[in-house]
Amino acid sequence: MRTAVAARALGREVEPPIKANGDARFKDAAWTNNPAFLALHQLYGAGSKYLQELVDDARVDEMTRSKARFALEFM
């Protein structure tokens, strides 16, 4: 992640390690062209992925897991 942001800051074309996956909030090119926005997008994506994995790996019943996944959609 840091490498992609540093490369973008130096003006290089790079493929970010974490993709937007169809999230309309990140469609604007500024999220990949601007190094600061790219860093924010990557941090958001990494945090989101971590929380999804945390819910998936939690030792809870399926109803609780479904509720947690639903709550994550609003974050």
Side-chain angles (χ1 to χ4, degrees), residues 13-29:
E13 291 292 322
V14 294
E15 190 68 28
I18 298 174
K19 309 286 188 254
N21 294 330
D23 191 332
R25 296 173 291 178
F26 299 112
K27 281 190 175 187
D28 193 301

Side-chain angles (χ1 to χ4, degrees), residues 4-55:
V5 173
R8 174 58 68 191
L10 294 172
R12 296 189 179 131
E13 291 292 322
V14 294
E15 190 68 28
I18 298 174
K19 309 286 188 254
N21 294 330
D23 191 332
R25 296 173 291 178
F26 299 112
K27 281 190 175 187
D28 193 301
W31 287 107
T32 54
N33 294 336
N34 183 312
F37 286 165
L38 178 61
L40 287 173
H41 176 253
Q42 295 299 295
L43 286 170
Y44 174 84
S48 178
K49 182 178 176 184
Y50 173 75
L51 290 174
Q52 289 172 359
E53 290 174 359
L54 188 65
V55 168

